[in-house]
Amino acid sequence: MAEPSSTPPKIFLNNELKSSKRLLIFGISILLGVFIWHSYTTVSLHKEYQNELMNSVTDQVIMEYQSHIETLRNQINHYQWLYQNEINELVRQGSNSTTQDYLDLLEQLRLDIEDVRLFSVIDENGNGVFKHITGDFLADCKEEINSTLEVSSQEHLFLHRSQKSVHYDLLEPLVGGKGFIFVAFQPTKLIEILSGYRLPQQELFLLRQDMIGKVELSSIKQIQDKTSVGVTMTETDVAKFNYLKEIPGTRWQVAIRLEGSYIYDLQKETYLRALILWGVISTILMISFDSRRRRLLSQYKIMKKLQHTESHDSLTGLMNRQLFVKRLNQQLEQLTVGVGGVFLVDIDRFQVFNNALGFGKGDESLKLITNLIREVCPKKASISRISNDQFAILVDDINHNSVCAFAEKMRKEIANLDLSEIADKLTLTCSVAAIQLDDSFIDGDHVTNALMFTIKLAKDKGRNRVQLYQSSDPELIRHAGEMEIFKTVRGALTDSAFILYRQRIVAAQQLEKNESYEVLLRMTGEDGNMVSPALFIPVAEQHSLAVELDKWVINQTFAFIKETKTDDHYSINLSGQSLADPNMALYVRECLVRHNVSPRQITLEITETYAITHLNAAVSFITELTNLGCRFALDDFGSGLSSFSYLQKLPVQKLKIDGVFIKDIANSKRNQAFVRTMVDLAKSMDMETVAEFVETEEEFSILKSLGIDYCQGYYFHAPEPWQ
């Protein structure tokens, strides 16, 4: 990224590093949030998946249990139909039935149906017909028998345990008789079903619905080994089950418990993986940030070096003129009364020295002079090489009464500088300009302008001397006066201290419907008195303020025309600097539109001198605004004979004859001849003529007889404020 020219490299570096660090922290934080959210979502989705999976498993187990029990019941009924006579005969015999007959039927039953433990027949009173053979029923068995007899169907199937075994009973109505056939089964198949549907990380249980924590069967080997004695869990253990579902027609419910550390391990693994990935990406981002930081530091060093090169002299390492002026501006904003001095050291006849000894030795001499100036100046002083042989110095804490002494010390030190390593018996002298800084200076350019003027005066007085700007020298007093006017002009642009005047322009040959005026600029000084345009206009042009003045006049004139809703015609003077400004034509166009002024109400007056010396720029400017509808007048026409040859190249509509030909026209036949010639020339080119400085009736009469189209002067109208 390129550094903005107005931003110091250090600030640029800090801003870029802060911005990059903020982005890094933001990016890492967002990544952490995304990974945590993703991990949480992954765990949640996995839990939902496990719930769906456990629901599916329990449904499959229940369906398998119901299918198995239904199959057993069908097999029991089928067995009854096959051996109906034998079973009924055995029942008829009752307590007289033999063990052998019973065992024969039991053996056949075991052959037809798997996992059969024993069978019996229950009479209507719930007693076992073969109890003399099988023994009496267990208490659990009697409970189940009684509940079955009550509703005539088996609705509460569950396991029965003895000291040696565990089984479950199925009761079916006795075929061909009254009561139920009772068959006891080993739970082997039930255990196989539980174990068969067990998935990784899952533990399956068959729990009693009516007895909290009572485990009937389980897919866990350790619990399977305790099937005969049974296992009872605490309520806390029961609460850890992840899924429970009842089996219809039984006292059972299928329960699934995920392995103890499964969820914890899942969360740990998911979050750990996310943290590792976050750490890797964050490390990459930090490496990228560090790489960018290194690039920025490298760029900072390059920019600092470039900035130093742009703002400092390559030979001496001193600040250049632009940086010195900037430093002056900063000092002027924090002035202390009676403190601060600026100096300009000009090496006398250094160009002659260069030509005689060569530029190489000249450069070596400049380095020695630079080192000397650094030694003489305070550490806080700002030193600049502002031209080949000129050094400017700002000492912000020197008292005004010490300024001349410091300048004299500098002059003597340079005069005594040992230059023997450059050439034998070589000496140099210098002129030193000194300024006591105060609030009379507008800006750094104002100070350097004063320094240049002062050093010129010191050299004109014989060189090798100190010249204080604040002295009684007439030239310096005059310059200070001009600078005061410059300051006033600058302030007037800000504080609206300018006033528009106007002077009527009279038609000499015929009456016109609307009046014409020339717009004149006046300025009020700090004392409230008017400052002559002859004083402030040249100063404004000298210090490049003429364009701003012209823009102010144009904008204010158009605003007045809009405000007064007049159809009168107005002439506005433009400086040569305005014609050279590439944006002036656009500014005039924008003002016309903004104030809704007709271009035909405006004549722009340009000076003959600038128009001739900058012919192409003048023609381009005049053509653009003439096409828009404005008119142009060539002011001060006739001041040079060369103007006649250039006139045909300038597309102007009026010639404003130089006042030098008008002031004495009543007594000068030569001036009359010149004016007649200019009028004839203008008419031949379809141009109108204007005579300025008309002050008497006689002058007006003569000019009218010579064919002048318009006249202007105190005879008709003294300039007055335009209000």
Side-chain angles (χ1 to χ4, degrees):
M1 182 184 292
E3 175 199 3
S5 59
S6 60
T7 306
K10 191 169 185 179
I11 296 176
F12 167 76
L13 175 67
N14 289 336
N15 290 342
E16 287 297 306
L17 285 177
K18 285 180 182 177
S19 176
S20 297
K21 186 176 288 186
R22 282 195 297 268
L23 286 174
L24 175 66
I25 295 172
F26 177 76
I28 289 176
S29 301
I30 290 295
L31 278 175
L32 180 60
V34 168
F35 282 128
I36 290 176
W37 173 82
H38 181 266
S39 299
Y40 173 79
T41 304
T42 300
V43 172
S44 299
L45 289 174
H46 194 85
K47 287 180 178 179
E48 290 178 9
Y49 168 73
Q50 280 290 355
N51 285 336
E52 292 176 2
L53 199 61
M54 288 187 289
N55 180 59
S56 175
V57 168
T58 53
D59 285 345
Q60 291 292 329
V61 170
I62 290 172
M63 186 173 66
E64 284 284 332
Y65 270 24
Q66 290 176 328
S67 175
H68 174 62
I69 290 171
E70 185 64 28
T71 300
L72 291 179
R73 292 187 186 278
N74 291 334
Q75 288 177 337
I76 291 171
N77 290 328
H78 181 70
Y79 171 79
Q80 285 192 82
W81 284 108
L82 291 177
Y83 299 99
Q84 178 180 354
N85 295 331
E86 289 84 348
I87 294 172
N88 286 333
E89 177 60 26
L90 202 61
V91 170
R92 187 185 63 78
Q93 295 175 8
S95 58
N96 296 320
S97 59
T98 64
T99 301
Q100 187 58 47
D101 292 337
Y102 170 81
L103 290 176
D104 289 342
L105 286 174
L106 177 61
E107 182 65 24
Q108 188 58 50
L109 180 61
R110 286 176 174 171
L111 290 174
D112 292 349
I113 305 173
E114 292 182 353
D115 297 331
V116 173
R117 184 168 175 270
L118 57 83
F119 84 95
S120 183
V121 173
I122 309 300
D123 62 20
E124 294 174 335
N125 297 319
N127 297 316
V129 176
F130 308 129
K131 64 181 180 181
H132 62 289
I133 300 172
T134 61
D136 200 4
F137 296 119
L138 295 174
D140 286 348
C141 296
K142 289 181 179 181
E143 178 185 349
E144 188 170 14
I145 290 169
N146 291 332
S147 65
T148 301
L149 291 175
E150 287 178 4
V151 296
S152 300
S153 66
Q154 191 175 11
E155 300 290 343
H156 302 289
L157 186 66
F158 61 97
L159 291 183
H160 311 298
R161 285 182 172 79
S162 64
Q163 293 181 351
K164 297 181 180 180
S165 66
V166 59
H167 67 277
Y168 62 95
D169 304 330
L170 292 180
L171 284 77
E172 284 294 311
L174 183 65
V175 176
K178 296 181 179 180
F180 287 83
I181 185 169
F182 170 99
V183 182
F185 290 93
Q186 303 286 355
T188 307
K189 185 63 176 180
L190 299 183
I191 295 173
E192 286 180 4
I193 293 172
L194 276 183
S195 301
Y197 281 97
R198 178 183 181 275
L199 297 178
Q201 293 90 39
Q202 289 184 356
E203 297 172 343
L204 271 66
F205 294 82
L206 192 65
L207 303 180
R208 284 282 290 270
Q209 299 177 31
D210 54 339
M211 300 175 66
I212 296 175
K214 181 68 174 178
V215 178
E216 295 277 77
L217 298 173
S218 175
S219 62
I220 301 174
K221 183 67 169 63
Q222 293 87 337
I223 296 179
Q224 288 178 14
D225 295 340
K226 299 178 181 179
T227 298
S228 60
V229 296
V231 175
T232 301
M233 294 182 172
T234 65
E235 291 187 13
T236 303
D237 291 332
V238 173
K240 293 180 181 178
F241 281 101
N242 301 93
Y243 205 85
L244 293 144
K245 186 175 285 190
E246 296 178 357
I247 302 177
T250 73
R251 296 186 184 183
W252 293 328
Q253 57 182 348
V254 179
I256 299 179
R257 183 178 68 188
L258 296 176
E259 290 182 355
S261 62
Y262 172 70
I263 295 297
Y264 172 77
D265 290 342
L266 173 65
Q267 292 175 334
K268 180 180 176 182
E269 180 183 352
T270 303
Y271 284 107
L272 183 61
R273 188 188 304 116
L275 285 174
I276 292 173
L277 187 58
W278 173 75
V280 170
I281 296 177
S282 296
T283 301
I284 294 172
L285 288 176
M286 285 188 283
I287 292 173
S288 176
F289 168 75
D290 185 66
S291 176
R292 175 170 173 74
R293 183 182 64 83
R294 292 174 184 274
R295 288 198 305 272
L296 285 172
L297 286 172
S298 176
Q299 186 179 0
Y300 165 70
K301 292 177 182 178
I302 294 171
M303 287 191 302
K304 192 173 181 181
K305 186 175 181 180
L306 286 174
Q307 190 181 59
H308 187 275
T309 302
E310 291 173 357
S311 60
H312 289 73
D313 176 49
S314 59
L315 177 65
T316 62
L318 299 175
M319 63 177 68
N320 60 16
R321 183 190 187 98
Q322 290 75 18
L323 184 57
F324 185 75
V325 170
K326 182 179 179 181
R327 180 69 186 87
L328 284 174
N329 287 329
Q330 293 171 347
Q331 183 59 31
L332 287 171
E333 292 176 358
Q334 52 188 17
L335 278 178
T336 301
V337 177
V339 177
V342 187
F343 308 88
L344 181 62
V345 178
D346 185 292
I347 308 302
D348 295 331
R349 297 185 176 87
F350 191 73
Q351 187 60 44
V352 176
F353 174 87
N354 263 340
N355 293 338
L357 298 180
F359 288 98
K361 291 189 175 181
D363 289 347
E364 292 300 317
S365 299
L366 289 174
K367 291 179 182 179
L368 292 175
I369 293 169
T370 299
N371 293 335
L372 175 63
I373 291 175
R374 283 181 170 144
E375 291 175 4
V376 174
C377 290
K379 288 184 179 180
K380 290 176 61 179
S382 300
I383 309 171
S384 170
R385 183 187 177 201
I386 61 174
S387 69
N388 183 48
D389 54 2
Q390 290 182 327
F391 299 84
I393 305 164
L394 168 62
V395 184
D396 55 14
D397 57 355
I398 189 172
N399 291 324
H400 283 179
N401 54 16
S402 301
V403 166
C404 288
F406 179 82
E408 182 61 27
K409 179 182 179 182
M410 183 66 70
R411 185 193 67 80
K412 289 180 179 179
E413 291 289 343
I414 291 177
N416 295 326
L417 179 62
D418 182 9
L419 297 171
S420 58
E421 61 182 85
I422 305 297
D424 292 336
K425 299 180 181 181
L426 175 64
T427 59
L428 288 174
T429 62
C430 69
S431 302
V432 182
I435 289 179
Q436 297 167 340
L437 271 185
D438 55 36
D439 58 6
S440 65
F441 293 96
I442 300 173
D443 54 25
D445 288 327
H446 187 179
V447 176
T448 55
N449 184 283
L451 280 173
M452 291 300 177
F453 190 86
T454 306
I455 202 69
K456 180 180 181 301
L457 184 61
K459 292 164 75 174
D460 290 345
K461 289 183 177 181
R463 294 183 170 85
N464 193 23
R465 67 181 61 243
V466 171
Q467 179 64 57
L468 179 66
Y469 180 71
Q470 290 91 345
S471 68
S472 58
D473 187 282
E475 288 296 313
L476 290 174
I477 292 174
R478 181 186 62 78
H479 184 269
E482 288 183 359
M483 290 297 98
E484 190 64 29
I485 292 173
F486 169 67
K487 180 180 178 182
T488 304
V489 172
R490 282 279 298 269
L493 282 168
T494 304
D495 303 332
S496 300
F498 288 113
I499 302 173
L500 287 187
Y501 274 58
R502 65 179 182 175
Q503 185 178 36
R504 189 180 302 116
I505 301 172
V506 179
Q509 303 300 329
Q510 59 184 8
L511 293 176
E512 293 190 350
K513 179 180 178 182
N514 299 313
E515 294 184 340
S516 295
Y517 294 90
E518 179 179 0
V519 179
L520 305 170
L521 183 63
R522 299 291 184 265
M523 183 178 72
T524 304
E526 293 181 355
D527 56 2
N529 296 321
M530 286 292 178
V531 180
S532 171
L535 292 176
F536 74 79
I537 294 296
V539 172
E541 290 180 341
Q542 181 182 350
H543 294 279
S544 303
L545 291 177
V547 174
E548 291 186 56
L549 290 185
D550 288 348
K551 286 183 176 180
W552 187 91
V553 172
I554 290 169
N555 184 66
Q556 201 67 21
T557 298
F558 292 0
F560 278 7
I561 292 173
K562 178 182 180 181
E563 184 180 345
T564 57
K565 299 179 181 179
T566 180
D567 292 327
D568 293 338
H569 195 93
Y570 287 89
S571 297
I572 302 172
N573 288 281
L574 291 183
S575 68
Q577 292 175 11
S578 291
L579 276 106
D581 187 336
N583 298 316
M584 180 55 78
L586 177 61
Y587 181 80
V588 174
R589 184 192 298 269
E590 289 175 347
C591 284
L592 287 169
V593 173
R594 182 165 62 249
H595 296 292
N596 195 26
V597 173
S598 170
R600 299 189 182 279
Q601 288 181 260
I602 304 301
T603 291
L604 299 172
E605 297 184 8
I606 61 175
T607 60
E608 177 194 20
T609 304
Y610 183 87
I612 291 174
T613 54
H614 299 79
L615 187 62
N616 291 335
V619 170
S620 176
F621 182 83
I622 293 169
T623 301
E624 182 174 352
L625 291 181
T626 299
N627 292 337
L628 195 63
C630 296
R631 306 187 75 192
F632 277 84
L634 192 62
D635 202 6
D636 300 332
F637 183 74
S639 57
L641 289 177
S642 60
S643 59
F644 288 94
S645 61
Y646 284 98
L647 185 59
Q648 60 182 339
K649 298 180 181 180
L650 292 169
V652 297
Q653 292 78 40
K654 294 181 183 180
L655 297 182
K656 208 163 186 181
I657 298 172
D658 196 316
V660 70
F661 299 109
I662 307 301
K663 288 182 178 180
D664 195 35
I665 196 168
N667 302 316
S668 174
K669 297 294 183 182
R670 180 176 295 180
N671 283 357
Q672 292 178 22
F674 275 128
V675 171
R676 182 181 292 108
T677 301
M678 286 185 270
V679 169
D680 291 342
L681 177 64
K683 289 184 182 300
S684 69
M685 300 181 72
D686 293 325
M687 296 181 186
E688 295 175 332
T689 52
V690 182
E692 295 183 289
F693 302 107
V694 181
E695 298 182 355
T696 66
E697 183 178 357
E698 183 181 7
E699 289 174 349
F700 176 56
S701 180
I702 293 171
L703 290 167
K704 189 174 181 180
S705 66
L706 293 174
I708 287 289
D709 296 301
Y710 296 94
C711 291
Q712 177 184 354
Y714 278 79
Y715 173 67
F716 305 102
H717 180 222
E720 63 179 4
W722 185 9
Q723 297 179 346

